[in-house]
Amino acid sequence: MNYITSNPLIYFPILPVCIIFGFLICFLFFRLRQVSREKASRSVIKEAKSEAERIIKGADITAREELYKRKEGFEKETQDTRHELRQLEKRLSKREDNLERKIDIMTKKEKYIESMASNLSNKEKDVNKKSSQLDELIEEEKSTLYKISGLSADAAEKLLLSRLEKELEIECAGLIEKHINKAREEAEKKAISIIGTAIQRCTANNSIDNVVSTIELPGDEMKGRIIGREGRNIRAFEKATGVDVIVDDTPGIIVLSGFDGVRREVARLAMKKLIVDGRIHPARIEEVVQETEKDIEQIVLETGKQTSFELGIHDLHTEIIKLIGRLRYRTSYGQNQLQHSIEVADLAGVLAGELKLDAQVARRCGLLHDIGKALSADVEGTHALVGADFAKRYDEKPDVINAIASHHEEVPSETVYSVLINAADAISASRPGARRETLEKYVKRLEKLESVAMSFNGVESAYAIQAGREVRVIVHPDKVSDKSASKICYDIAKNVEDELEYPGEVTVTVIREKRVVQKAK
């Protein structure tokens, strides 16, 4: 046993094995480290790829957001530019219309001056001819006097006095005519001065409105909440307010459309409250609309009180004050009716002051002259007659009632205040920029009204009068009987209602007249 352990040759085969085993261990250790390094490298590469993808996605999202913002800004700038171009185009169109109108007026004036010049030339020739004849007569008279110099002094004096009397009569007649013409010219100058002074002293804001209101949304997701499930929210809102809600692809806004200005304002304020509140459902919509209607009624009342207070008009009935406030949301040809009524009241007051009349009564008539426009949609009749009946119901003075009823010449003017209101209303409506409707559109509307009337058999001619508020139709008496005339009148009125758009009412008058003329020779 000791021999075996003490002999070194026994261990000689084991050394190579140990060396090989050691190499194997080192190789395995090196291989394991290499594998771990490869795994670490792959994980780093994987993390780098994921980080690169994340950075690329973030950059893509940022680029898209930046592109969307720039696109939105570009669209807004384009829209503003288009709006400015449209405004410029409207102003140029108005200037062209004014220039054409002025050219027409100048042409007419030139023709009138030429005709007056020719008439004056003819009259001057006649005067010169008559003057020469008169000189000849005087010379003949003198020669006759010389021949009859044998007359007594009294007879010659009487003859001379009679001749002087005739000359004085002619001279007095010329002086009277001269003073009459001078008084007429001074009266015309004074009237022009009064109207010009009234226009210069009265300033008013030009307020133009339309039939739509735009509401900005905090985000496009709000459109879905406004529409509601299967459209129940938007239907409930339209039913409660009577206004159409337009939701389209335009980002960030919705549009409210309606011809009733008060309803549209109620809808606008109610929609803003619902958007701020965030609770949008049929029950909440009905509650908010009712609250907003109460708020608008209060605003209307306060507006009427403030307007009457600023004009110094007192003792108005509460219902009349409410109608004055409702005119704030009423427009006519783009002109705000409350501003128009205030302007007419100021003009009428200034004109009355220049003519030494009661300016308080004139302003009252001017403020209330279009009060019927706040009722004409609900009551049958023209706004002038409807307003006069309403004012009469609440014990307004006869002067005020007649001024309201006659400002479109539907009834005769009975007082000087009615004439003043007609003049102030015409000045306010015809002021450049006051109303949106151009002369071309106005003429087209009248032509359309006449063409509708002329489309019926038996109609001889048709004329649109009173700024398109009435059309008078003349029919052939041989082709149309009295009963047929009634039927034609009804059919024309029906076609006008179906085919034309117009404010207020249009009166259709059919005239059937047969004339027989003979000349006695």
Side-chain angles (χ1 to χ4, degrees), residues 54-108:
R54 185 179 63 79
I55 292 172
I56 291 171
K57 288 181 180 179
D60 187 22
I61 292 172
T62 304
R64 288 183 180 179
E65 289 179 352
E66 184 67 23
L67 179 62
Y68 178 77
K69 289 180 180 178
R70 291 187 178 182
K71 183 179 178 181
E72 187 176 9
F74 177 74
E75 289 178 354
K76 186 176 180 181
E77 290 178 359
T78 305
Q79 187 176 4
D80 294 339
T81 304
R82 288 178 180 173
H83 179 70
E84 291 177 358
L85 289 174
R86 283 195 293 269
Q87 295 295 329
L88 181 60
E89 185 178 356
K90 289 180 181 178
R91 289 196 294 270
L92 289 175
S93 177
K94 290 179 180 178
R95 289 181 180 178
E96 289 178 358
D97 293 339
N98 292 333
L99 288 174
E100 290 178 357
R101 185 164 59 251
K102 289 180 180 178
I103 290 170
D104 292 338
I105 293 172
M106 291 296 293
T107 305
K108 291 180 180 177

Short mmCIF file of all heavy atoms in Angstrom, two decimals, residues 54-108:
data_model
loop_
_atom_site.label_atom_id
_atom_site.label_comp_id
_atom_site.label_asym_id
_atom_site.label_seq_id
_atom_site.Cartn_x
_atom_site.Cartn_y
_atom_site.Cartn_z
N ARG A 54 -39.36 54.22 -30.20
CA ARG A 54 -40.15 55.15 -29.40
C ARG A 54 -39.87 56.60 -29.79
O ARG A 54 -40.77 57.44 -29.91
CB ARG A 54 -39.82 54.94 -27.91
CG ARG A 54 -40.67 55.79 -26.96
CD ARG A 54 -40.30 55.50 -25.53
NE ARG A 54 -38.92 55.87 -25.28
CZ ARG A 54 -38.52 57.13 -25.07
NH1 ARG A 54 -39.40 58.11 -25.10
NH2 ARG A 54 -37.26 57.42 -24.83
N ILE A 55 -38.57 56.88 -30.01
CA ILE A 55 -38.20 58.26 -30.41
C ILE A 55 -38.80 58.60 -31.77
O ILE A 55 -39.31 59.70 -31.99
CB ILE A 55 -36.66 58.39 -30.44
CG1 ILE A 55 -36.10 58.30 -29.01
CG2 ILE A 55 -36.25 59.72 -31.07
CD1 ILE A 55 -34.59 58.22 -28.93
N ILE A 56 -38.75 57.61 -32.70
CA ILE A 56 -39.32 57.85 -34.04
C ILE A 56 -40.83 58.10 -33.94
O ILE A 56 -41.37 59.01 -34.58
CB ILE A 56 -39.01 56.64 -34.96
CG1 ILE A 56 -37.51 56.60 -35.27
CG2 ILE A 56 -39.81 56.74 -36.25
CD1 ILE A 56 -37.06 55.35 -35.98
N LYS A 57 -41.53 57.28 -33.11
CA LYS A 57 -42.97 57.49 -32.95
C LYS A 57 -43.27 58.86 -32.34
O LYS A 57 -44.18 59.57 -32.76
CB LYS A 57 -43.56 56.39 -32.08
CG LYS A 57 -43.63 55.03 -32.77
CD LYS A 57 -44.26 54.00 -31.86
CE LYS A 57 -44.34 52.61 -32.54
NZ LYS A 57 -44.93 51.61 -31.64
N GLY A 58 -42.49 59.22 -31.30
CA GLY A 58 -42.70 60.53 -30.67
C GLY A 58 -42.46 61.66 -31.65
O GLY A 58 -43.22 62.64 -31.72
N ALA A 59 -41.39 61.52 -32.46
CA ALA A 59 -41.11 62.56 -33.45
C ALA A 59 -42.21 62.62 -34.50
O ALA A 59 -42.60 63.70 -34.95
CB ALA A 59 -39.76 62.27 -34.11
N ASP A 60 -42.74 61.43 -34.88
CA ASP A 60 -43.83 61.40 -35.87
C ASP A 60 -45.07 62.09 -35.33
O ASP A 60 -45.72 62.89 -36.01
CB ASP A 60 -44.12 59.94 -36.23
CG ASP A 60 -45.12 59.85 -37.37
OD1 ASP A 60 -45.22 60.85 -38.12
OD2 ASP A 60 -45.79 58.82 -37.52
N ILE A 61 -45.42 61.78 -34.05
CA ILE A 61 -46.61 62.41 -33.44
C ILE A 61 -46.41 63.92 -33.33
O ILE A 61 -47.30 64.72 -33.63
CB ILE A 61 -46.86 61.79 -32.05
CG1 ILE A 61 -47.29 60.32 -32.21
CG2 ILE A 61 -47.92 62.59 -31.29
CD1 ILE A 61 -47.38 59.57 -30.91
N THR A 62 -45.18 64.32 -32.89
CA THR A 62 -44.91 65.77 -32.78
C THR A 62 -45.00 66.46 -34.14
O THR A 62 -45.55 67.55 -34.27
CB THR A 62 -43.51 65.97 -32.19
OG1 THR A 62 -43.42 65.28 -30.94
CG2 THR A 62 -43.24 67.46 -31.97
N ALA A 63 -44.45 65.76 -35.16
CA ALA A 63 -44.50 66.35 -36.50
C ALA A 63 -45.94 66.47 -36.98
O ALA A 63 -46.32 67.47 -37.60
CB ALA A 63 -43.68 65.48 -37.46
N ARG A 64 -46.74 65.42 -36.70
CA ARG A 64 -48.15 65.50 -37.13
C ARG A 64 -48.88 66.61 -36.40
O ARG A 64 -49.68 67.34 -37.01
CB ARG A 64 -48.84 64.16 -36.86
CG ARG A 64 -48.39 63.06 -37.82
CD ARG A 64 -49.17 61.80 -37.56
NE ARG A 64 -48.77 60.72 -38.47
CZ ARG A 64 -49.28 59.49 -38.46
NH1 ARG A 64 -50.23 59.20 -37.59
NH2 ARG A 64 -48.85 58.58 -39.30
N GLU A 65 -48.65 66.73 -35.08
CA GLU A 65 -49.29 67.81 -34.33
C GLU A 65 -48.87 69.18 -34.88
O GLU A 65 -49.69 70.08 -35.05
CB GLU A 65 -48.93 67.71 -32.85
CG GLU A 65 -49.58 66.51 -32.14
CD GLU A 65 -49.16 66.44 -30.68
OE1 GLU A 65 -48.27 67.23 -30.29
OE2 GLU A 65 -49.72 65.59 -29.95
N GLU A 66 -47.58 69.33 -35.14
CA GLU A 66 -47.09 70.60 -35.69
C GLU A 66 -47.71 70.88 -37.05
O GLU A 66 -48.10 72.01 -37.36
CB GLU A 66 -45.57 70.54 -35.81
CG GLU A 66 -44.94 71.84 -36.28
CD GLU A 66 -45.09 72.95 -35.27
OE1 GLU A 66 -45.27 72.64 -34.06
OE2 GLU A 66 -45.01 74.12 -35.67
N LEU A 67 -47.80 69.78 -37.88
CA LEU A 67 -48.40 69.94 -39.20
C LEU A 67 -49.87 70.33 -39.08
O LEU A 67 -50.36 71.20 -39.81
CB LEU A 67 -48.27 68.62 -39.99
CG LEU A 67 -48.88 68.62 -41.41
CD1 LEU A 67 -48.18 69.67 -42.27
CD2 LEU A 67 -48.77 67.24 -42.03
N TYR A 68 -50.60 69.72 -38.12
CA TYR A 68 -52.02 70.04 -37.93
C TYR A 68 -52.20 71.48 -37.47
O TYR A 68 -53.08 72.20 -37.94
CB TYR A 68 -52.63 69.08 -36.92
CG TYR A 68 -54.07 69.35 -36.63
CD1 TYR A 68 -55.07 68.97 -37.54
CD2 TYR A 68 -54.47 70.01 -35.46
CE1 TYR A 68 -56.41 69.22 -37.28
CE2 TYR A 68 -55.79 70.27 -35.20
CZ TYR A 68 -56.76 69.87 -36.12
OH TYR A 68 -58.06 70.12 -35.87
N LYS A 69 -51.30 71.90 -36.52
CA LYS A 69 -51.40 73.28 -36.03
C LYS A 69 -51.15 74.26 -37.17
O LYS A 69 -51.83 75.26 -37.32
CB LYS A 69 -50.41 73.51 -34.90
CG LYS A 69 -50.79 72.80 -33.60
CD LYS A 69 -49.76 73.07 -32.52
CE LYS A 69 -50.13 72.37 -31.20
NZ LYS A 69 -49.10 72.60 -30.16
N ARG A 70 -50.08 73.96 -37.96
CA ARG A 70 -49.78 74.88 -39.07
C ARG A 70 -50.90 74.88 -40.10
O ARG A 70 -51.24 75.93 -40.65
CB ARG A 70 -48.47 74.46 -39.73
CG ARG A 70 -47.24 74.70 -38.84
CD ARG A 70 -45.96 74.43 -39.58
NE ARG A 70 -44.79 74.70 -38.74
CZ ARG A 70 -43.53 74.58 -39.16
NH1 ARG A 70 -43.30 74.20 -40.42
NH2 ARG A 70 -42.52 74.84 -38.35
N LYS A 71 -51.47 73.70 -40.34
CA LYS A 71 -52.58 73.62 -41.29
C LYS A 71 -53.78 74.41 -40.78
O LYS A 71 -54.43 75.13 -41.52
CB LYS A 71 -52.97 72.15 -41.51
CG LYS A 71 -54.07 71.96 -42.54
CD LYS A 71 -54.37 70.49 -42.72
CE LYS A 71 -55.52 70.29 -43.74
NZ LYS A 71 -55.84 68.87 -43.90
N GLU A 72 -54.07 74.26 -39.46
CA GLU A 72 -55.19 74.99 -38.88
C GLU A 72 -54.95 76.50 -38.95
O GLU A 72 -55.84 77.28 -39.27
CB GLU A 72 -55.38 74.56 -37.43
CG GLU A 72 -56.64 75.12 -36.78
CD GLU A 72 -56.83 74.58 -35.38
OE1 GLU A 72 -55.90 73.91 -34.88
OE2 GLU A 72 -57.90 74.82 -34.80
N GLY A 73 -53.66 76.90 -38.62
CA GLY A 73 -53.35 78.33 -38.70
C GLY A 73 -53.46 78.85 -40.13
O GLY A 73 -53.96 79.96 -40.37
N PHE A 74 -52.99 78.03 -41.09
CA PHE A 74 -53.08 78.45 -42.49
C PHE A 74 -54.54 78.58 -42.93
O PHE A 74 -54.90 79.53 -43.63
CB PHE A 74 -52.35 77.42 -43.36
CG PHE A 74 -52.45 77.71 -44.84
CD1 PHE A 74 -51.72 78.75 -45.40
CD2 PHE A 74 -53.29 76.97 -45.65
CE1 PHE A 74 -51.82 79.02 -46.75
CE2 PHE A 74 -53.40 77.23 -46.99
CZ PHE A 74 -52.64 78.27 -47.55
N GLU A 75 -55.38 77.61 -42.51
CA GLU A 75 -56.81 77.69 -42.87
C GLU A 75 -57.45 78.92 -42.26
O GLU A 75 -58.26 79.58 -42.89
CB GLU A 75 -57.53 76.42 -42.41
CG GLU A 75 -57.16 75.18 -43.22
CD GLU A 75 -57.87 73.94 -42.70
OE1 GLU A 75 -58.53 74.04 -41.65
OE2 GLU A 75 -57.75 72.88 -43.36
N LYS A 76 -57.06 79.23 -41.00
CA LYS A 76 -57.64 80.41 -40.36
C LYS A 76 -57.21 81.68 -41.08
O LYS A 76 -58.02 82.58 -41.33
CB LYS A 76 -57.19 80.47 -38.90
CG LYS A 76 -57.84 81.59 -38.11
CD LYS A 76 -57.43 81.54 -36.66
CE LYS A 76 -58.12 82.68 -35.87
NZ LYS A 76 -57.70 82.64 -34.45
N GLU A 77 -55.90 81.75 -41.43
CA GLU A 77 -55.43 82.93 -42.16
C GLU A 77 -56.11 83.03 -43.52
O GLU A 77 -56.51 84.12 -43.97
CB GLU A 77 -53.91 82.84 -42.36
CG GLU A 77 -53.12 83.02 -41.06
CD GLU A 77 -51.62 82.86 -41.29
OE1 GLU A 77 -51.25 82.60 -42.46
OE2 GLU A 77 -50.85 83.00 -40.33
N THR A 78 -56.28 81.86 -44.18
CA THR A 78 -56.97 81.87 -45.48
C THR A 78 -58.42 82.33 -45.33
O THR A 78 -58.93 83.10 -46.15
CB THR A 78 -56.93 80.46 -46.09
OG1 THR A 78 -55.57 80.01 -46.17
CG2 THR A 78 -57.52 80.47 -47.50
N GLN A 79 -59.07 81.85 -44.27
CA GLN A 79 -60.47 82.25 -44.05
C GLN A 79 -60.57 83.74 -43.77
O GLN A 79 -61.45 84.43 -44.28
CB GLN A 79 -61.03 81.46 -42.87
CG GLN A 79 -62.53 81.67 -42.65
CD GLN A 79 -63.05 80.78 -41.54
OE1 GLN A 79 -62.30 80.08 -40.90
NE2 GLN A 79 -64.34 80.82 -41.32
N ASP A 80 -59.62 84.27 -42.94
CA ASP A 80 -59.63 85.72 -42.68
C ASP A 80 -59.39 86.51 -43.96
O ASP A 80 -60.04 87.53 -44.21
CB ASP A 80 -58.55 86.06 -41.65
CG ASP A 80 -58.84 85.45 -40.28
OD1 ASP A 80 -60.03 85.13 -40.05
OD2 ASP A 80 -57.91 85.30 -39.48
N THR A 81 -58.45 86.00 -44.78
CA THR A 81 -58.17 86.70 -46.04
C THR A 81 -59.39 86.70 -46.95
O THR A 81 -59.73 87.71 -47.58
CB THR A 81 -56.98 86.03 -46.75
OG1 THR A 81 -55.85 86.00 -45.86
CG2 THR A 81 -56.59 86.80 -48.00
N ARG A 82 -60.06 85.52 -47.00
CA ARG A 82 -61.28 85.46 -47.83
C ARG A 82 -62.35 86.40 -47.31
O ARG A 82 -63.05 87.06 -48.09
CB ARG A 82 -61.81 84.02 -47.85
CG ARG A 82 -60.93 83.06 -48.66
CD ARG A 82 -61.49 81.66 -48.59
NE ARG A 82 -60.67 80.71 -49.35
CZ ARG A 82 -60.85 79.39 -49.36
NH1 ARG A 82 -61.83 78.86 -48.64
NH2 ARG A 82 -60.07 78.62 -50.07
N HIS A 83 -62.49 86.46 -45.97
CA HIS A 83 -63.48 87.36 -45.40
C HIS A 83 -63.16 88.81 -45.76
O HIS A 83 -64.06 89.59 -46.14
CB HIS A 83 -63.50 87.18 -43.89
CG HIS A 83 -64.48 88.07 -43.19
ND1 HIS A 83 -65.84 87.89 -43.29
CD2 HIS A 83 -64.29 89.16 -42.40
CE1 HIS A 83 -66.45 88.82 -42.60
NE2 HIS A 83 -65.54 89.61 -42.05
N GLU A 84 -61.87 89.18 -45.66
CA GLU A 84 -61.49 90.55 -46.02
C GLU A 84 -61.75 90.83 -47.50
O GLU A 84 -62.21 91.91 -47.87
CB GLU A 84 -60.00 90.76 -45.71
CG GLU A 84 -59.69 90.77 -44.21
CD GLU A 84 -58.20 90.92 -43.95
OE1 GLU A 84 -57.46 90.97 -44.94
OE2 GLU A 84 -57.81 90.96 -42.76
N LEU A 85 -61.46 89.80 -48.34
CA LEU A 85 -61.72 89.99 -49.78
C LEU A 85 -63.21 90.16 -50.05
O LEU A 85 -63.61 90.97 -50.89
CB LEU A 85 -61.17 88.79 -50.56
CG LEU A 85 -59.63 88.69 -50.64
CD1 LEU A 85 -59.23 87.40 -51.31
CD2 LEU A 85 -59.05 89.88 -51.39
N ARG A 86 -64.04 89.38 -49.34
CA ARG A 86 -65.49 89.53 -49.53
C ARG A 86 -65.95 90.91 -49.09
O ARG A 86 -66.78 91.55 -49.75
CB ARG A 86 -66.24 88.44 -48.75
CG ARG A 86 -66.20 87.06 -49.42
CD ARG A 86 -67.24 86.15 -48.82
NE ARG A 86 -66.94 85.81 -47.45
CZ ARG A 86 -66.23 84.75 -47.07
NH1 ARG A 86 -65.74 83.93 -47.98
NH2 ARG A 86 -66.01 84.49 -45.79
N GLN A 87 -65.44 91.37 -47.93
CA GLN A 87 -65.81 92.71 -47.47
C GLN A 87 -65.38 93.77 -48.47
O GLN A 87 -66.12 94.71 -48.78
CB GLN A 87 -65.16 92.98 -46.10
CG GLN A 87 -65.67 92.09 -44.98
CD GLN A 87 -67.13 92.33 -44.67
OE1 GLN A 87 -67.64 93.44 -44.82
NE2 GLN A 87 -67.83 91.29 -44.27
N LEU A 88 -64.13 93.60 -49.00
CA LEU A 88 -63.65 94.56 -50.00
C LEU A 88 -64.50 94.53 -51.25
O LEU A 88 -64.82 95.58 -51.85
CB LEU A 88 -62.19 94.22 -50.33
CG LEU A 88 -61.49 95.14 -51.35
CD1 LEU A 88 -61.47 96.57 -50.84
CD2 LEU A 88 -60.08 94.67 -51.62
N GLU A 89 -64.90 93.31 -51.65
CA GLU A 89 -65.74 93.19 -52.84
C GLU A 89 -67.09 93.87 -52.63
O GLU A 89 -67.62 94.54 -53.52
CB GLU A 89 -65.94 91.71 -53.16
CG GLU A 89 -66.70 91.46 -54.46
CD GLU A 89 -66.84 89.98 -54.76
OE1 GLU A 89 -66.29 89.17 -53.99
OE2 GLU A 89 -67.49 89.65 -55.76
N LYS A 90 -67.66 93.72 -51.40
CA LYS A 90 -68.94 94.38 -51.11
C LYS A 90 -68.78 95.90 -51.16
O LYS A 90 -69.63 96.60 -51.71
CB LYS A 90 -69.44 93.94 -49.73
CG LYS A 90 -69.92 92.49 -49.67
CD LYS A 90 -70.40 92.15 -48.27
CE LYS A 90 -70.87 90.71 -48.19
NZ LYS A 90 -71.29 90.36 -46.82
N ARG A 91 -67.67 96.39 -50.56
CA ARG A 91 -67.48 97.85 -50.58
C ARG A 91 -67.31 98.37 -52.01
O ARG A 91 -67.85 99.42 -52.38
CB ARG A 91 -66.26 98.22 -49.73
CG ARG A 91 -66.48 98.04 -48.23
CD ARG A 91 -65.41 98.79 -47.45
NE ARG A 91 -64.09 98.23 -47.63
CZ ARG A 91 -63.57 97.26 -46.89
NH1 ARG A 91 -64.27 96.75 -45.89
NH2 ARG A 91 -62.34 96.82 -47.11
N LEU A 92 -66.55 97.60 -52.83
CA LEU A 92 -66.37 98.02 -54.21
C LEU A 92 -67.70 98.00 -54.97
O LEU A 92 -67.97 98.89 -55.79
CB LEU A 92 -65.36 97.09 -54.90
CG LEU A 92 -63.90 97.24 -54.45
CD1 LEU A 92 -63.04 96.19 -55.11
CD2 LEU A 92 -63.36 98.62 -54.78
N SER A 93 -68.52 96.98 -54.67
CA SER A 93 -69.83 96.91 -55.34
C SER A 93 -70.71 98.10 -54.96
O SER A 93 -71.36 98.71 -55.81
CB SER A 93 -70.52 95.60 -54.95
OG SER A 93 -71.80 95.53 -55.52
N LYS A 94 -70.66 98.47 -53.66
CA LYS A 94 -71.45 99.62 -53.23
C LYS A 94 -70.95 100.91 -53.89
O LYS A 94 -71.73 101.75 -54.32
CB LYS A 94 -71.38 99.75 -51.71
CG LYS A 94 -72.14 98.66 -50.97
CD LYS A 94 -72.02 98.84 -49.48
CE LYS A 94 -72.78 97.74 -48.74
NZ LYS A 94 -72.64 97.87 -47.27
N ARG A 95 -69.61 101.03 -53.97
CA ARG A 95 -69.06 102.23 -54.61
C ARG A 95 -69.43 102.29 -56.09
O ARG A 95 -69.75 103.36 -56.61
CB ARG A 95 -67.54 102.24 -54.46
CG ARG A 95 -67.08 102.51 -53.02
CD ARG A 95 -65.57 102.54 -52.92
NE ARG A 95 -65.14 102.79 -51.55
CZ ARG A 95 -63.87 102.82 -51.17
NH1 ARG A 95 -62.91 102.63 -52.07
NH2 ARG A 95 -63.55 103.05 -49.91
N GLU A 96 -69.38 101.12 -56.76
CA GLU A 96 -69.78 101.11 -58.17
C GLU A 96 -71.24 101.52 -58.33
O GLU A 96 -71.59 102.29 -59.23
CB GLU A 96 -69.55 99.72 -58.75
CG GLU A 96 -68.08 99.37 -58.94
CD GLU A 96 -67.88 97.97 -59.47
OE1 GLU A 96 -68.91 97.28 -59.65
OE2 GLU A 96 -66.74 97.57 -59.70
N ASP A 97 -72.10 100.99 -57.42
CA ASP A 97 -73.53 101.36 -57.50
C ASP A 97 -73.70 102.85 -57.27
O ASP A 97 -74.49 103.52 -57.97
CB ASP A 97 -74.32 100.57 -56.45
CG ASP A 97 -74.34 99.08 -56.76
OD1 ASP A 97 -74.11 98.73 -57.94
OD2 ASP A 97 -74.57 98.29 -55.84
N ASN A 98 -72.98 103.40 -56.29
CA ASN A 98 -73.09 104.84 -56.02
C ASN A 98 -72.60 105.67 -57.21
O ASN A 98 -73.22 106.68 -57.57
CB ASN A 98 -72.29 105.20 -54.77
CG ASN A 98 -72.89 104.63 -53.51
OD1 ASN A 98 -74.10 104.41 -53.46
ND2 ASN A 98 -72.08 104.37 -52.50
N LEU A 99 -71.47 105.23 -57.82
CA LEU A 99 -70.96 105.96 -58.98
C LEU A 99 -71.93 105.91 -60.15
O LEU A 99 -72.18 106.92 -60.82
CB LEU A 99 -69.61 105.38 -59.40
CG LEU A 99 -68.43 105.68 -58.46
CD1 LEU A 99 -67.19 104.94 -58.90
CD2 LEU A 99 -68.14 107.18 -58.42
N GLU A 100 -72.50 104.71 -60.40
CA GLU A 100 -73.47 104.61 -61.49
C GLU A 100 -74.69 105.49 -61.23
O GLU A 100 -75.21 106.15 -62.13
CB GLU A 100 -73.89 103.15 -61.66
CG GLU A 100 -72.77 102.26 -62.22
CD GLU A 100 -73.21 100.81 -62.32
OE1 GLU A 100 -74.35 100.52 -61.92
OE2 GLU A 100 -72.42 99.99 -62.81
N ARG A 101 -75.16 105.47 -59.96
CA ARG A 101 -76.31 106.31 -59.63
C ARG A 101 -75.98 107.79 -59.81
O ARG A 101 -76.80 108.56 -60.34
CB ARG A 101 -76.75 106.03 -58.20
CG ARG A 101 -78.01 106.74 -57.79
CD ARG A 101 -78.61 106.16 -56.54
NE ARG A 101 -77.69 106.24 -55.43
CZ ARG A 101 -77.07 105.19 -54.88
NH1 ARG A 101 -77.26 104.00 -55.37
NH2 ARG A 101 -76.24 105.35 -53.87
N LYS A 102 -74.77 108.20 -59.38
CA LYS A 102 -74.39 109.59 -59.54
C LYS A 102 -74.24 109.97 -61.01
O LYS A 102 -74.61 111.08 -61.42
CB LYS A 102 -73.06 109.84 -58.81
CG LYS A 102 -73.19 109.82 -57.30
CD LYS A 102 -71.86 110.07 -56.63
CE LYS A 102 -71.99 110.04 -55.11
NZ LYS A 102 -70.69 110.25 -54.43
N ILE A 103 -73.71 109.03 -61.82
CA ILE A 103 -73.58 109.31 -63.26
C ILE A 103 -74.96 109.50 -63.88
O ILE A 103 -75.17 110.41 -64.71
CB ILE A 103 -72.80 108.17 -63.94
CG1 ILE A 103 -71.32 108.21 -63.52
CG2 ILE A 103 -72.90 108.28 -65.46
CD1 ILE A 103 -70.53 107.00 -63.96
N ASP A 104 -75.92 108.62 -63.49
CA ASP A 104 -77.28 108.76 -64.02
C ASP A 104 -77.88 110.11 -63.62
O ASP A 104 -78.52 110.79 -64.44
CB ASP A 104 -78.16 107.62 -63.50
CG ASP A 104 -77.74 106.28 -64.09
OD1 ASP A 104 -77.09 106.27 -65.15
OD2 ASP A 104 -78.05 105.25 -63.48
N ILE A 105 -77.66 110.49 -62.35
CA ILE A 105 -78.22 111.77 -61.88
C ILE A 105 -77.59 112.93 -62.64
O ILE A 105 -78.27 113.88 -63.06
CB ILE A 105 -77.98 111.91 -60.36
CG1 ILE A 105 -78.82 110.87 -59.61
CG2 ILE A 105 -78.34 113.31 -59.89
CD1 ILE A 105 -78.52 110.79 -58.13
N MET A 106 -76.25 112.87 -62.85
CA MET A 106 -75.58 113.95 -63.58
C MET A 106 -76.07 114.03 -65.03
O MET A 106 -76.27 115.12 -65.58
CB MET A 106 -74.07 113.70 -63.56
CG MET A 106 -73.43 113.87 -62.19
SD MET A 106 -73.57 115.55 -61.57
CE MET A 106 -72.53 116.41 -62.75
N THR A 107 -76.29 112.84 -65.64
CA THR A 107 -76.80 112.83 -67.02
C THR A 107 -78.18 113.48 -67.09
O THR A 107 -78.47 114.29 -67.99
CB THR A 107 -76.86 111.40 -67.55
OG1 THR A 107 -75.56 110.79 -67.43
CG2 THR A 107 -77.28 111.37 -69.01
N LYS A 108 -79.04 113.13 -66.13
CA LYS A 108 -80.38 113.71 -66.11
C LYS A 108 -80.31 115.23 -65.89
O LYS A 108 -81.06 115.99 -66.51
CB LYS A 108 -81.22 113.05 -65.02
CG LYS A 108 -81.57 111.59 -65.32
CD LYS A 108 -82.39 110.99 -64.20
CE LYS A 108 -82.73 109.54 -64.48
NZ LYS A 108 -83.47 108.92 -63.36
#
